[in-house]
Structure formats: C-alpha cells, structure tokens
C-alpha cells in the first residue's frame, strides 16, 4: 500500500486504484508483479526508507518519459495506466506556492523555529482567538505552514489541500474561478510578481533577452509571439502598459517596473507554471 | 458497469475531464449508490454547474435559507401552552423554581385558527400560509454539533452541506456567479464545513461573503477586485495570459484541463464585474430599502441588507443563498 501511494504521487495514477480502497472494493493492480517487486524492494532493499524508494522511482526511465501525445498509444490506453507516457498533472498547492516564492527570490529555505500557532495564545478558534500570527507573511516552505482545522491557509485551501476533517488519498485537481481571482488579484501573487520583476530588471541585457529568458518556449513561433506580446506589455509607452488613468498603482513604482511586474504575474498565473509536463 | 475509479480518457470535449474528476471524486470512495447518479450526470449535463432537470418540474427553483442562530422561546411565539398559563407562579417539578407563563397575549389567527402570540403579530397575519412543525426533537447537546447537523445532516461524519447537494443535483442558472453563497457565515461552530463539500467535488463549494463578525456593508468576496489595475488594463494582462495558456493548450490538445484553466479565468473576469453589481444595494429604491429595515442606526440594518442582497442574488440566478444572523436568544430576559 505504501508503495502504491508513492507511485501515485510520482506518476499521477496508482498501480491500484482507487488508492484508498485496497481490496475487494478497489480494482486489481495494473502491474501486479511490479507492485510485488516494489513492495519487496521497499521493505528489504530500502529498509522502509521512503526517501530511498522515491529516489529509486524518479531515476527510472518510466518516470522520465515526457507527456507527448501518441495517437496509437492513446487509442489503446487513454488513461496511460500502462505508463506509455508521463501524465501531465498539476502541482500540489504546497509546490505551487514554494515555486512562486523560489522564483521571486523570497523563499526562506531555513527551517522556522516552532509553529506560528505557538504565538496565538489562549482562545477559541473564530471566537476570540488571535489569528494574526496565522495570517502574517510566512516566507518559509509551505510544508511548515500551520494547519489549524477551520483556518487552512488561503493558498492551500484554494489549490485543493486535503481538508483536515477527513482522510483523502488523492487530492482533487480543480479549476475554480476563486483560484483565478487569487492569481489575478491577491496581494501575495502581486508581491511575488513585483519581486520577480525586480530580479529580472536587475539582470543584464535588453528587454528582448529578458522576455526570452523568462519564458523559454519550445518552438520559435511561440517564442516570437511571446516576445511580441510580452514586449508590448513592457513597453515604456504609457498607453501600452496599462499605466494610464485607470492605474491605481503605488506612486513609488515606475511604469516600467509596473509593466514588468504585470508580465511576471502572467508567468506565475499561467497554466504552465503549475502543470507538470 | 463502468468503473469510475480509473481516470477517464481525455477526449476533445472541453469539459469531459471535469466529468472524470467528478467520477473520481464522488465514486472513488467506493459507494456504489452514487455510481448511478454519476452515470446520469455524465449523460445529461455539459459542465458540473449547468442547470439540470430533475425527474419532475419543480415549483421551487431557488432557495434562501435564513439561518438565524438562537431565537425566542417557542412558547412565546408559536407553541401555545394554556396549562403553563394556568400554573403560572406555582413551583416547578423539582420544587426549586417557579413556572412562568408567556409574557405575551395569545390569539387564534386567520381561518385556520392557528394560535400565535402577539410577539410575532406581523407574521401572525399570514397564519393561513404558515406551516408550523411542532414535532422537532433533538439529541444534540451543544451549538457546534447542532450547526453541523443542521447544515450537513451529521455531526459525527464530514458530509456535504445542503447548498452543495443542491448544486450537485440541480446546477445553477447563472454561470457568471457562484451557485451557492453564504452571507456572513460564522467562523466557529463548524465554520467552513457548513458550506463545504466533504466528498463531493469542490466545484460545489459555497462562497462566503464576509463573515458574521463583519457588518455586511464592509463584507467582500476574497480577491474580487484588482488593487492596481482598472478593468481594461486588466483585460490586456488577461489577454496575454490567455494567449500563453492557449499556446500550451495547442501543444497538448488532448489535455482538456488547460481548457479548464482558460475557462476559469474568463469566468473569474466576468464574476469580477457581475458580483459586485449584484451585491450593491444602492440601486434599490428608498421604499424597498425601508421595507427591508435598512437605514442608518436602525437595529435591523445589517440583517436587512443581508436579506436584500440574498434576494438580488437569487434574482440574478444563484441557486442557494444562506443568510447568517446570530444571537437573538432571549437569555436573561
């Protein structure tokens, strides 16, 4: 079972599905000998080390397959249960958040000392409890975010964090407008975009270089489109950047910084940022 | 029987990947009873929230749930107790306290002869349209389990809320607005579980406007407006974002989830425009506002605003709106 869950996390689909119904209510494994072999290896070879097991699996050829479509294979096995390709899947909430902090340069990789919950003091959740420590900025990795039942951090809640009230073997992968609103309007995402823009502007080169570096695309055609539209957005000409009369930005930000921040926000908000190919 | 546990193929229909998620999320726990519903759901609707036709034509199409926590004693409102009136001032069963009759006058009302006290004399005028259920009982001892039980049907297990079930079964009419809204919900006593989805797909989740501690005038839906861009500037940004998303979608034509992302951005953009308009009460006439008890300094102002907002949401096509008020108990009266 343990091995099946590790497999599900890495490959997107368990060898046995559903992952939380091993036995008569579930289905037989797609690769029974592989499952047995992995289980044996986990116990005897890796001595129950999950880290070692994960390392083993990510070094396989199967894990390194791309998600490129193949019509014949798709015809035979559309769900890719037989692993003819890597199934594109969305990152978990924690990974998306960490990735945003990492690219903006604001991720603090040190381990925080104790949970913010220790700073709350006495009180009942929602009634007289002081939730300021829970909503304060937290630049550490998401795995250290405090999970108080009833006050799940916004980022996690929006991106399908498992609800603390019940067990959930496989997280949902939703596309809700609340996520889009968050990515377009939330102070958190805007801050990361600002920081990313500053990083990019600090690097050498012209704007063309910057856009290319920021968004490496597969085809030249895509690159050209992105460059063109990206440059349009970052043009110092006020009418193109949205730095016009409707702009309610902070006066300390120049139109150029704002434009680059808007462009960086687009990169963070795009599907590609959170879908693993 | 079709197995819903395995992820379904990703055909070109833009929303069938959501059906796959619907299947996996609702049937993955192995409850076969839901399998039949899932099957039908797939056959009938185009998106999880599209309106669905039930097995008969309903007369009630939308629901407003006035959830007013607390309340006056039943024997002061609709539960006439003449025996209690007779024994007023005498000792109660344990001999330590005295019995107290209702402080209000009781009369029979309308043609039905329903006994209603003068405390609710305005409601009493509608006696012939009222259905009073005098059979309630409970075995729940406290507030939090009671709230969860009321909203989800269970206080021991995590179960979907009423609004989520309605959305799951009936969808919603206006796709530009959330289908299930909770106005000023409490943070305690179950909190988000009272408008949560438990094992149903999270697309059926309720959207909270503010919370019970915040006056509804100041209540906002999270992240509904951009702090630095006006509408047309934001549309430009969104256009660039969508063109990049579409590039990805073209490279991955069989993965309909990218389409899902594109659609959800468009929906969010429309929601930004439509939702604040629906929540804005200033376009209602003075007389309407007065009828709802809205007015500076009036005690009914906050609740009145919530009710009027609920009506506007329903009129705009929202399927289920819960209005939350609290503490109109008569403790220590």
């Amino acid at each position: 079972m343990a091995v099946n869950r590790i497999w599900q996390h890495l490959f997107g689909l368990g060898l046995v599905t559903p992952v939380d119904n091993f036995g008569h209510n579930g289905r037989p494994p797609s690769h029974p000998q592989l499952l047995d072999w992995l289980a044996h290896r986990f116990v005897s070879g890796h001595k129950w080390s999950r880290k070692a097991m994960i390392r083993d699996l990510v070094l396989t050829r199967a894990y390194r397959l791309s998600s490129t479509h193949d019509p014949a294979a798709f015809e035979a096995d559309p769900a890719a249960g037989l692993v003819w390709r890597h199934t594109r899947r969305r990152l978990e909430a924690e990974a998306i958040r960490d990735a945003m902090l990492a690219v903006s340069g604001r991720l603090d990789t040190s381990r925080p000392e104790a949970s913010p919950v220790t700073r709350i003091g006495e009180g009942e959740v929602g009634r007289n409890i002081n939730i300021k420590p829970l909503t304060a900025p937290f630049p550490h990795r998401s795995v250290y975010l405090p999970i108080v039942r009833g006050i799940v951090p916004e980022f996690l809640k929006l991106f399908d964090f498992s609800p603390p009230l019940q067990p959930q073997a496989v997280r949902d992968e939703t596309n809700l407008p609340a996520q889009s609103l968050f990515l377009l309007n939330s102070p958190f995402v805007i801050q990361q975009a600002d920081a990313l823009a500053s990083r990019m502007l600090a690097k050498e080169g012209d704007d063309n270089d910057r856009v290319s570096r920021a968004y490496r695309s597969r085809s030249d055609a895509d690159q050209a489109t992105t460059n063109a539209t990206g440059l349009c957005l970052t043009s110092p000409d006020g009418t193109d950047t949205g730095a016009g009369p409707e702009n309610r930005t902070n006066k300390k930000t120049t139109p150029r910084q704002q434009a680059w921040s808007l462009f960086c926000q687009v990169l963070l908000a795009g599907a590609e940022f959170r879908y693993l190919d | 029987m079709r197995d819903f546990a395995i992820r379904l193929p990703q055909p070109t229909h833009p929303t069938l990947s959501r059906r796959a998620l619907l299947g996996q999320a609702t049937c993955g726990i192995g409850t076969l009873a839901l399998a039949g519903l899932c099957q039908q759901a797939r056959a009938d609707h185009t998106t999880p929230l599209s309106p669905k036709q039930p097995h008969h034509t309903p007369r009630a199409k939308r629901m407003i749930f006035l959830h007013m926590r607390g309340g006056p004693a039943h024997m002061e409102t609709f539960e006439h107790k003449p025996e209690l009136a007779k024994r007023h001032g005498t000792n109660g069963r344990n001999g330590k306290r005295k019995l107290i009759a209702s402080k209000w006058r009781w009369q029979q009302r309308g043609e039905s002869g329903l006994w209603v006290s003068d405390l609710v004399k305005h409601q009493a005028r509608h006696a012939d349209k009222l259905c009073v259920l005098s059979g309630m009982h409970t075995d729940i001892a406290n507030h939090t389990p009671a709230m969860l039980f009321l909203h989800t049907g269970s206080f021991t297990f995590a179960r979907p809320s009423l609004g989520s079930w309605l959305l799951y079964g009936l969808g919603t009419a206006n796709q530009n607005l959330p289908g299930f809204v909770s106005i000023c919900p409490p943070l305690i006593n179950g909190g988000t579980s009272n408008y949560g989805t438990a094992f149903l797909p999270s697309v059926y989740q309720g959207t909270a406007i503010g919370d019970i501690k915040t006056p509804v005038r100041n209540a906002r839906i999270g992240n509904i407006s951009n702090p630095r861009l006006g509408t047309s500037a934001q549309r430009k940004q969104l256009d660039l974002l969508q063109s990049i998303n579409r590039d990805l979608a073209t490279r991955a034509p069989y993965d309909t989830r990218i389409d899902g992302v594109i659609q959800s951005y468009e929906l969010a953009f429309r929601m930004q425009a439509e939702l604040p308009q629906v929540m804005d009460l200033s376009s209602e006439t003075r007389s309407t506002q007065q009828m709802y008890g809205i007015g500076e300094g009036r005690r009914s102002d906050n609740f009145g605003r919530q009710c009027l907002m609920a009506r506007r949401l329903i009129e705009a096509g929202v399927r289920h709106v819960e209005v939350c008020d609290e503490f109109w108990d008569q403790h220590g009266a």
Side-chain angles (χ1 to χ4, degrees), chain A residues 8 12-13 17-18 20-21 25 27 69 74 78-79 85 87-90 124-127 150 154 157-158 160 163 165-166 170 172-187 190 193-194 215 217-218 222 225-226 229-230 232-233 239-243 246-249 258 261-263 265-267 269-272 274-275 277, chain B residues 3 5-11 18 21 24-25 27-30 32 69 143-144 158-159 187-190 192-193 195 197-205 213 221-234 236-238 240-241 243-245 247-248 251-261 264-269 271-272 327:
Chain A
Q8 187 266 316
L13 196 62
T17 56
D20 48 357
N21 262 314
N25 276 343
R27 288 179 52 84
H69 178 75
F74 185 77
R85 67 160 170 187
T87 306
R88 178 182 288 104
R89 63 183 189 287
R90 204 197 68 196
E124 187 184 327
V125 173
R127 209 195 280 275
E154 189 187 16
K157 194 151 72 140
L158 285 170
D160 306 303
L165 288 173
Q166 59 197 79
V170 181
D172 291 334
E173 219 185 81
T174 61
N175 258 320
L176 298 176
Q179 293 168 353
S180 304
L181 287 173
F182 179 81
L183 292 166
L184 288 173
N185 301 330
S186 72
I190 290 174
D194 282 344
Y215 184 68
S217 162
R218 278 165 217 226
D222 279 350
T225 323
T226 323
T229 37
C232 188
L233 196 63
T239 54
D240 279 341
T241 59
E246 281 179 310
N247 184 8
R248 296 196 285 273
T249 191
Q258 159 105 334
S261 174
L262 293 175
F263 176 63
Q265 189 180 9
V266 162
L267 298 178
E272 204 152 2
R274 58 194 193 268
Y275 278 85
D277 240 348
Chain B
D3 190 317
I6 281 192
R7 220 179 274 171
L8 290 185
Q10 319 264 346
R18 287 191 215 174
L21 292 173
Q24 189 167 5
C27 305
I29 57 168
L32 298 177
R69 208 158 71 93
H143 297 295
T144 298
R159 287 194 63 88
L187 296 168
I188 58 170
N189 294 335
T192 55
S193 303
Y195 49 93
T197 53
F199 52 76
L200 288 181
S202 30
V203 69
Y204 302 122
Q205 175 137 52
K213 298 293 181 204
I221 292 211
N223 302 315
I224 195 71
S225 66
N226 191 287
R228 57 182 181 173
L229 294 176
T231 312
S232 63
Q234 189 180 38
K236 279 195 71 167
Q237 185 192 31
L238 187 54
L240 175 61
L241 172 57
S243 78
I244 295 179
N245 285 336
D247 280 349
L248 177 61
R251 288 205 303 274
Y254 289 90
D255 188 347
T256 58
R257 288 172 298 178
I258 311 303
D259 277 336
V261 172
S264 110
Y265 272 115
E266 292 304 326
L267 174 52
F269 190 70
M271 219 182 255
Q272 275 185 170
F327 289 151

Side-chain angles (χ1 to χ4, degrees), chain B residues 21-85:
Chain B
L21 292 173
L22 181 70
Q24 189 167 5
T26 57
C27 305
I29 57 168
T31 48
L32 298 177
L34 283 175
L37 281 173
C38 289
Q39 186 90 54
Q40 214 213 329
R42 260 185 215 103
D44 290 346
H45 70 280
T46 52
T47 79
L49 291 171
S50 306
K52 292 162 213 160
Q53 181 61 24
H55 56 286
H56 65 102
T57 307
R59 285 168 57 204
K61 299 195 180 66
R62 290 183 263 278
M63 179 167 167
I64 298 180
F65 174 22
L66 295 177
H67 179 234
M68 298 144 69
R69 208 158 71 93
H74 55 292
M75 66 262 203
E76 302 286 25
T77 53
F78 291 96
E79 185 90 19
H80 184 43
K81 293 196 181 288
E83 187 63 29
L84 178 63

Side-chain angles (χ1 to χ4, degrees), chain B residues 67 69 138-155 189-190 194:
Chain B
H67 179 234
R69 208 158 71 93
T138 186
D139 49 7
I140 296 175
N142 209 340
H143 297 295
T144 298
M147 284 277 277
L148 286 170
F149 187 70
L150 178 64
H151 286 84
T152 72
S154 170
F155 68 94
N189 294 335
N194 293 322

Side-chain angles (χ1 to χ4, degrees), chain B residues 276-295:
Chain B
Q277 252 178 38
V278 174
M279 285 167 59
D280 177 14
L281 306 181
S282 60
S283 59
E284 297 281 348
T285 65
R286 271 218 59 66
S287 64
T288 302
Q289 295 193 22
Q290 275 187 343
M291 267 204 303
Y292 275 78
I294 296 171

